[in-house]
Amino acid sequence: MDIVVCVKHVPDTTEAEIAIRDDERGIEKRGLVFDINEADNYAVEEALLLKERFGGSITVLTVGPPEADETLRMCLAKGVDKAVRLTDGRFEGSDSYATARILAEAIRELGRRPSPIGYDLVLTGIQADDDGCGQVGVTLAEMLGIPHAALVISTETEDGKMKVHRELEGGLHEVLEIELPALLTIQTGINEPRYASIFGIRQAMKKQIEALDLGALGLAEEAVGEAGSKTSLVRLFIPEVTAQATILQGSPEEVSSELLTIFKNEGVI
Amino acid sequence: MGEIFVLAEHRQGVLRDVTFEMLGKGQELAAAMGAPLTAMLLGHNVEGFATELAKHANQVLVVEDERLEHFNSESYQQVLAHLIAEHKPGLVLIGHSAYGMDLAPSLATQLDLPLVTDCVGLELEGGQPFAVREMYGGKVSARVAFRQADTYVATVRQAAFPVEEGAPLGGEVVAVDSPLTEEITYRKFLEYVEAAVGEVDITQADVVVAVGRGIKEADNLALVEKLAKALGGVLAGSRPVVDAGWLPPERQVGQSGKTVKPKLYLAVGISGASQHVAGMKASSTIVAINKDPDAPIFKVAHYGIVDDLFKVVPALTAQLGG
């Protein structure tokens, strides 16, 4: 089974302080730690599990700057066969639609080569932790003209088809059957992502990461970046606080005793 | 801008809340534009839903087809593409739900329409729609513009807008012939699978102590479990803890897990992603312990402690005599 996985190199902002840039169209990236997007990490693992079972190849793609090689190299270290970074200054400002366009063109380009890289399956994470759009995967499926399923939480492969569970709300799953080639957007928790071995990391250092730009993809300049986007970021702002918790001050012992009083007053204990 | 379309979302015989939230917002936007509000209802034997929706819209377009009994993004996309091409609405609202996330991006791409996902705000300015959505786990908001088009598409975050209980609109129910021609063979709905019940029903507890990513390691869970016990409550968790396999899925609080409304909800090391908040915000008293003062959980909590959970949890447990 030949699999293409699309990944994104994103900043971890869970516990970080965020500052909005002066132009209000981005955040200050300095000082932030970047890593593979969480859901994409599960997508890579799902690809590795499928390859272990059925053979074939895995290619990872990312749209990003040279620093994204860090994420690509980690994928190579885990057993991904080929990594391609789609990089061009003119890609900057691309929204989900334009990003999907770049990915779709790259997948087509790989398939046109003398030794083509085809695919039976395309995987993405359900959404990126930075913009949270959850849009690239399903858009890409439409551009490639293949069926898709979003929010996939388990897969089973049988004779050119897959049986997948989609996560609905309230703990409910939907089971569906989908013909390959198809695109699945992978939800976190579907598997247990492995860590790269030291040996794998060493091997990955020797592997080549291919970089493709606008020209290599044969895309027009108007098809990417802000010109190729269907939405645009007007400005970022820190959300207005409508309600805020009463913050208890003091040592752990002091706040604990204050909490105890609150619990008693509220009739909880 | 033309009329406003809202896709009615239903499952297992129930119209989902997000439908009425979108109709409420849609009504506000329609009034501002002087445009009618239309609900689109796709399904099989859904007359009851049509009657209900007619109270909240000026018109209900009903596409009755047994192939629409269960949601399938492929068949929904075909039907919606047909309805949008026929009626050319100004704005189409779809829930940012498991259904909408599976449907809206491919629909918008097929029709070459601009789409903004997971909107928590929608407004008109000079006849143009603008969306507000969250980024970086809710720490930053973004105002987003759509590229000029005849029809705009937005997916709307669940529970972001209130349900308006106004006077019934008494909309007209219009049956539309199903445009579906052949059976879709490349994607088939098979069945629903309900979540396992598990040993403990966290929805029935008066006190829920929930743990999040801040717990760092599985071994540290015992610390919080002790606190839960001292409070006579149950231990629950947010998605990352369940994804890591440290707690079973039936203990997950949030949109894709359980919704709880205990007397006390104690969030330990939980940042407060919107999907989590959706499952606990109706709790009577919410207390959050998190070392990040900017964590969104402090916007929903009544009381907050900005400190290291590994110091506060043992201190609190000790004072409870645990």
Side-chain angles (χ1 to χ4, degrees):
Chain A
M1 184 182 287
D2 294 321
I3 307 171
V4 171
V5 190
C6 304
V7 301
K8 189 174 183 181
H9 190 59
V10 297
D12 178 5
T13 54
T14 22
E15 286 181 356
E17 202 173 315
I18 293 188
I20 292 171
R21 264 181 359 219
D22 288 341
D23 70 357
E24 298 188 322
R25 298 190 72 195
I27 62 164
E28 293 289 354
K29 302 271 168 77
R30 224 172 316 148
L32 294 176
V33 179
F34 280 69
D35 201 348
I36 187 169
N37 181 53
E38 193 183 12
D40 302 352
N41 197 30
Y42 286 90
V44 169
E45 180 63 31
E46 198 63 18
L48 291 167
L49 293 172
L50 287 166
K51 186 188 157 184
E52 282 167 5
R53 189 104 194 264
F54 302 103
S57 69
I58 306 173
T59 304
V60 286
L61 299 180
T62 194
V63 178
E67 300 87 80
D69 279 358
E70 204 187 313
T71 277
L72 293 179
R73 223 167 267 293
M74 202 44 85
C75 294
L76 290 170
K78 290 181 180 183
V80 161
D81 301 284
K82 183 173 174 62
V84 182
R85 174 165 46 80
L86 310 166
T87 297
D88 197 303
R90 290 166 288 190
F91 291 167
E92 255 170 61
S94 294
D95 69 351
S96 301
Y97 178 85
T99 302
R101 187 107 187 245
I102 295 164
L103 290 167
E105 221 38 65
I107 290 171
R108 288 193 194 110
E109 157 62 22
L110 293 173
R112 277 194 298 262
R113 294 190 165 177
S115 31
I117 299 172
Y119 61 86
D120 302 294
L121 193 63
V122 180
L123 301 179
T124 70
I126 64 152
Q127 63 184 30
D129 296 332
D130 51 0
D131 61 45
C133 288
Q135 198 176 338
V136 168
V138 175
T139 302
L140 177 60
E142 182 69 22
M143 288 174 174
L144 294 173
I146 56 174
H148 71 267
L151 292 134
V152 171
I153 198 73
S154 83
T155 70
E156 241 176 86
T157 310
E158 42 187 81
D159 323 318
K161 284 181 191 158
M162 277 188 128
K163 201 176 183 186
V164 303
H165 284 226
R166 281 200 337 112
E167 182 183 87
L168 307 179
E169 289 79 7
L172 192 67
H173 290 180
E174 174 186 281
V175 188
L176 56 90
E177 191 181 81
I178 192 161
E179 277 178 18
L180 301 183
L183 182 145
L184 309 178
T185 80
I186 301 296
Q187 173 63 295
T188 60
I190 185 174
N191 51 40
E192 221 175 298
R194 70 194 65 189
Y195 290 96
S197 65
I198 300 292
F199 176 74
I201 292 171
R202 275 206 210 111
Q203 292 294 103
M205 294 311 283
K206 295 182 216 150
K207 285 192 190 167
Q208 191 77 26
I209 290 175
E210 190 175 348
L212 296 176
D213 64 7
L214 191 72
L217 296 180
L219 272 167
E221 204 172 328
E222 310 82 66
V224 300
E226 290 197 27
S229 295
K230 291 192 177 295
T231 63
S232 66
L233 196 59
V234 181
R235 72 180 190 96
L236 294 181
F237 57 98
I238 301 295
E240 216 177 295
V241 177
T242 44
Q244 184 74 28
T246 305
I247 302 292
L248 310 181
Q249 311 277 359
S251 69
E253 288 69 28
E254 285 162 355
V255 294
S256 293
S257 90
E258 211 175 324
L259 268 185
L260 239 53
T261 313
I262 292 165
F263 292 165
K264 279 177 191 148
N265 291 345
E266 307 268 348
V268 178
I269 53 169
Chain B
M1 224 165 86
E3 62 191 303
I4 294 182
F5 272 22
V6 170
L7 175 65
E9 186 167 320
H10 60 90
R11 178 161 65 226
Q12 297 180 307
V14 180
L15 275 169
R16 302 196 64 245
D17 290 349
V18 69
T19 306
F20 298 102
E21 293 154 15
M22 289 190 288
L23 286 168
K25 186 67 191 171
Q27 202 176 326
E28 178 198 314
L29 293 169
M33 286 170 17
L37 175 64
T38 297
M40 297 182 287
L41 175 62
L42 283 56
H44 181 49
N45 295 332
V46 286
E47 297 83 5
F49 292 162
T51 314
E52 179 62 22
L53 291 167
K55 295 178 194 160
H56 302 265
N58 303 112
Q59 187 181 230
V60 185
L61 297 177
V62 186
V63 182
E64 157 69 40
D65 191 320
E66 60 180 9
R67 287 166 292 190
L68 294 170
E69 182 173 3
H70 300 289
F71 173 85
N72 181 336
S73 69
E74 301 285 347
S75 50
Y76 261 61
Q77 186 176 333
Q78 287 185 18
V79 174
L80 292 184
H82 171 81
L83 292 177
I84 292 169
E86 197 93 329
H87 294 261
K88 300 192 172 53
L91 177 65
V92 178
L93 301 181
I94 297 172
H96 192 73
S97 57
Y99 287 170
M101 290 176 78
D102 199 39
L103 164 70
S106 48
L107 174 68
T109 303
Q110 182 195 338
L111 298 176
D112 201 23
L113 301 175
L115 162 70
V116 180
T117 57
D118 200 17
C119 299
V120 297
L122 279 166
E123 57 197 29
L124 294 163
E125 208 180 281
Q128 281 277 115
F130 287 87
V132 175
R133 56 188 312 286
E134 292 181 348
M135 292 174 68
Y136 301 102
K139 286 188 169 181
V140 175
S141 292
R143 184 174 161 85
V144 181
F146 298 73
R147 163 94 65 86
Q148 183 89 40
D150 293 332
T151 302
Y152 303 98
V153 188
T155 65
V156 173
R157 176 175 291 180
Q158 303 183 78
F161 297 110
V163 177
E164 303 294 344
E165 295 293 348
L169 291 181
E172 189 191 351
V173 176
V174 180
V176 178
D177 287 338
S178 172
L180 295 179
T181 46
E182 52 205 53
E183 201 68 44
I184 289 164
T185 53
Y186 45 89
R187 175 173 158 158
K188 275 190 269 189
F189 171 88
L190 298 180
E191 59 175 332
Y192 294 113
V193 176
E194 304 276 349
V197 178
E199 290 163 37
V200 177
D201 186 356
I202 59 168
T203 64
Q204 298 303 313
D206 280 341
V207 176
V208 174
V209 180
V211 60
R213 205 189 285 271
I215 197 70
K216 308 272 187 227
E217 285 173 38
D219 289 350
N220 297 335
L221 231 62
L223 205 67
V224 186
E225 195 165 16
K226 230 163 135 187
L227 173 60
K229 217 169 170 189
L231 276 165
V234 298
L235 183 66
S238 65
R239 170 149 217 137
V241 175
V242 174
D243 280 349
W246 301 343
L247 279 176
E250 64 267 20
R251 301 264 186 152
Q252 185 181 329
V253 174
Q255 203 160 279
S256 52
K258 298 270 171 67
T259 298
V260 298
K261 294 177 200 168
K263 282 188 193 160
L264 171 66
Y265 189 85
L266 184 55
V268 179
I270 289 177
S271 67
S274 65
Q275 292 87 343
H276 179 76
V277 169
M280 48 66 82
K281 65 180 176 187
S283 307
S284 309
T285 301
I286 300 169
V287 179
I289 303 171
N290 199 306
K291 67 177 177 192
D292 177 8
D294 298 324
I297 191 75
F298 291 121
K299 279 184 255 171
V300 60
H302 303 101
Y303 301 98
I305 294 164
V306 182
D307 204 345
D308 186 351
L309 74 91
F310 295 104
K311 289 181 188 146
V312 179
V313 170
L316 183 57
T317 311
Q319 292 199 17
L320 284 159

